[in-house]
Amino acid sequence: MKESDVSGESLLSADELISATGGKYIGSAENKNLFCFTSVATDSRNVIGGTMFVPLIGENQDGHLYCPQAVENGARILLIAQSEYEKNGGFYDKLVADNAEISVVTVKNTLKALQDAAAAYVAKFPTLVKIAVTGSSGKTTSKEMIVSVLRQKYSVVYTQGNFNSETGLPLSVFNIRKNHEIGVFEMGMNRKNEIKEISGVLKANFALITNIGTAHIGILGSRQNIAEEKRHAFDYITENGAAFIPAIDEFA
């Protein structure tokens, strides 16, 4: 296992993570006392010392296969599916028995748990001004323009590249730190309810819909359905926030 490189306090405590995800802690009291993670990854290749690894289960791939690699790369926390623990509990029990600094938390669904954990983390920064950017096209360009302006005066955290999906948005918000004043995050979608789900993670004060085009129309069926899904970016706008849409738009 690579030597851990954990600096600073854990992004979430063991109790905060368990409360947010409805998870079950696997390990000793000693492990729990050493519980700490300073980054989050869903790809074992991106794991560094001090990472919480969240293996996702897809149609053709099960991320749990890469838990050993994640541990080798320095993962401190494994957030795994309960079904995986029921199948391979011996591996995880031995892992935490042999490594006091490693903890395992089991959850019903790892994607949902990742989102719930991210939402709990965002809630730890009540003064952060949160801006969401979505739309059928122009999201990344709009985000970069907004960030470029705001960085002239404020400390800004923002989506790197187009990390804006059901997994990308939660991973992005784990980059928030105490010094940040404003967060600017993209929201993309490839399926129905995706914007609704990740809006619940960020709970943006301000949100922008760049446009309503035909991207993903094969999935959602119509531009009207796309507009209704994108509108979920506005679900958590506060009284002192605002929603932005193009002045000239069929769905304005």
Side-chain angles (χ1 to χ4, degrees):
M1 183 173 66
K2 290 182 179 180
E3 182 178 353
S4 295
D5 179 23
V6 181
S7 58
E9 63 184 273
S10 185
L11 298 181
L12 291 171
S13 69
D15 290 340
E16 286 172 334
L17 180 65
I18 291 165
S19 176
T21 63
K24 180 180 178 182
Y25 187 84
I26 305 296
S28 66
E30 181 185 9
N31 294 64
K32 197 170 185 181
N33 289 336
L34 295 173
F35 185 99
C36 182
F37 68 96
T38 53
S39 63
V40 183
T42 58
D43 186 330
S44 61
R45 294 169 296 184
N46 296 330
V47 169
I48 58 175
T51 294
M52 177 170 75
F53 178 59
V54 187
L56 303 176
I57 301 174
E59 291 183 8
N60 302 310
Q61 187 67 275
D62 185 345
H64 292 93
L65 295 172
Y66 301 97
C67 283
Q69 181 182 344
V71 171
E72 179 67 24
N73 289 343
R76 288 285 294 268
I77 314 297
L78 298 179
L79 187 63
I80 67 170
Q82 179 62 34
S83 59
E84 164 68 10
Y85 183 72
E86 290 169 358
K87 289 187 297 183
N88 299 302
F91 166 77
Y92 297 100
D93 290 342
K94 187 176 188 304
L95 181 66
V96 297
D98 293 345
N99 302 276
E101 64 180 13
I102 295 178
S103 294
V104 174
V105 175
T106 64
V107 294
K108 184 176 180 180
N109 181 294
T110 54
L111 173 59
K112 178 69 162 53
L114 171 65
Q115 295 173 346
D116 290 342
Y121 183 69
V122 174
K124 297 179 72 169
F125 303 90
T127 63
L128 182 74
V129 176
K130 296 163 291 184
I131 302 171
V133 181
T134 191
S136 295
S137 61
K139 292 184 292 296
T140 301
T141 299
S142 297
K143 175 206 67 184
E144 294 293 340
M145 292 170 67
I146 293 168
V147 170
S148 180
V149 172
L150 292 175
R151 288 179 73 181
Q152 303 305 308
K153 184 176 181 181
Y154 302 100
S155 176
V156 182
V157 59
Y158 56 96
T159 303
Q160 299 296 317
N162 61 348
F163 239 48
N164 58 26
S165 65
E166 61 187 0
T167 57
L169 185 280
L171 291 174
S172 292
V173 302
F174 276 114
N175 291 319
I176 299 170
R177 296 295 182 267
K178 292 178 180 178
N179 64 295
H180 292 132
E181 299 168 279
I182 299 177
V184 185
F185 296 97
E186 280 185 50
M187 291 183 178
M189 69 174 188
N190 290 302
R191 60 174 175 80
K192 184 175 175 58
N193 290 326
E194 189 166 2
I195 296 295
K196 183 176 182 179
E197 288 176 13
I198 59 180
S199 290
V201 172
L202 184 62
K203 295 182 173 64
N205 311 100
F206 297 85
L208 161 69
I209 297 178
T210 59
N211 51 54
I212 303 298
T214 57
H216 310 303
I217 198 166
I219 299 171
L220 294 175
S222 68
R223 291 180 69 215
Q224 177 66 39
N225 290 341
I226 292 172
E228 290 176 2
E229 178 65 21
K230 293 291 189 183
R231 190 186 184 283
H232 285 299
F234 300 152
D235 282 356
Y236 299 92
I237 299 298
T238 53
E239 288 186 2
N240 61 345
F244 296 89
I245 56 176
I248 302 174
D249 190 281
E250 292 178 56
F251 297 93

